[in-house]
Amino acid sequence: MNIKEHIRQIPDFPTPGILFYDISTLLANADAWQVTMGRLANAVMAERPDILVGIESRGFLVAAPLALKLGCGFAMARKKGKLPGKTIRHEYSLEYGTDIVEMQEDAIRPGQRVVVLDDLLATGGTMAATIALLRLMGAEVTGAACIIELSFLGGRKRLDVPVTSIVAYDH
């Protein structure tokens, strides 16, 4: 099955000049979603994770069902101020400033094998920041995965773990 056929492209969203890759059409097609999850499961299973971490918020849609399918835990990486309780944060640089990613301090136990997931890998900044945060927490980050990779933006080069993507766009 060609998963790209189930991903809608929306020009000029959220701002003019941006082409948005919308996975809502993929999520709405049970067969295509099942195939996508199966392909991700096969790739992620090889990393033998204890827990999957989804990056806010579409990454939750990927990581949570995949964790259930693989029989491992799920935790959330979110923007500052979105999680209750005590959190650990990591500030990182963007092209236009800084941002912060947080996780609850008890979401990961030191030594746990973790795979980080998101719907899309673009420049890799948020994924790299989440990996750095997980390492601060004592995790062994064994890989990263996404549905869509915008390979022309080079995000994979910013990551020092194996990366799996289901579909890639070269331009």
Side-chain angles (χ1 to χ4, degrees):
M1 176 181 289
N2 183 351
I3 300 301
K4 281 185 178 181
E5 292 175 0
H6 301 280
I7 297 170
R8 178 173 41 198
Q9 297 179 23
I10 301 175
D12 299 321
F13 183 83
T15 58
I18 299 294
L19 180 59
F20 186 81
Y21 294 88
D22 181 15
I23 65 166
S24 64
T25 47
L26 176 64
L27 295 167
N29 183 304
D31 290 338
W33 184 234
Q34 188 77 298
V35 169
T36 301
M37 286 289 102
R39 290 177 186 173
L40 278 171
N42 288 336
V44 169
M45 191 181 335
E47 301 298 333
R48 300 182 347 265
D50 298 309
I51 191 163
L52 303 182
V53 170
I55 298 174
E56 181 172 331
S57 65
R58 288 182 302 273
F60 302 166
L61 299 171
V62 178
L66 191 57
L68 184 62
K69 187 175 187 75
L70 295 177
C72 59
F74 165 70
M76 298 175 282
R78 298 204 67 185
K79 295 190 178 184
K80 179 182 172 186
K82 299 285 186 176
L83 290 169
K86 292 185 178 181
T87 60
I88 297 177
R89 66 178 52 171
H90 177 70
E91 185 172 346
Y92 62 103
S93 297
L94 301 167
E95 300 81 33
Y96 48 85
T98 62
D99 207 347
I100 293 173
V101 63
E102 291 184 328
M103 292 186 68
Q104 291 170 318
E105 71 176 7
D106 61 355
I108 303 294
R109 291 186 315 274
Q112 279 190 302
R113 295 177 59 85
V114 177
V115 174
V116 181
L117 291 113
D118 207 349
D119 69 318
L120 184 137
L121 176 62
T123 63
T126 303
M127 184 81 75
T130 302
I131 291 168
L133 174 60
L134 285 161
R135 287 180 175 149
L136 284 173
M137 297 173 77
E140 179 187 346
V141 182
T142 60
C146 58
I147 297 171
I148 302 166
E149 180 178 358
L150 304 181
S151 54
F152 61 94
L153 293 177
R156 179 181 291 258
K157 294 175 188 167
R158 294 183 69 177
L159 307 178
D160 61 356
V161 297
V163 178
T164 297
S165 59
I166 301 305
V167 299
Y169 293 90
D170 298 326
H171 59 282

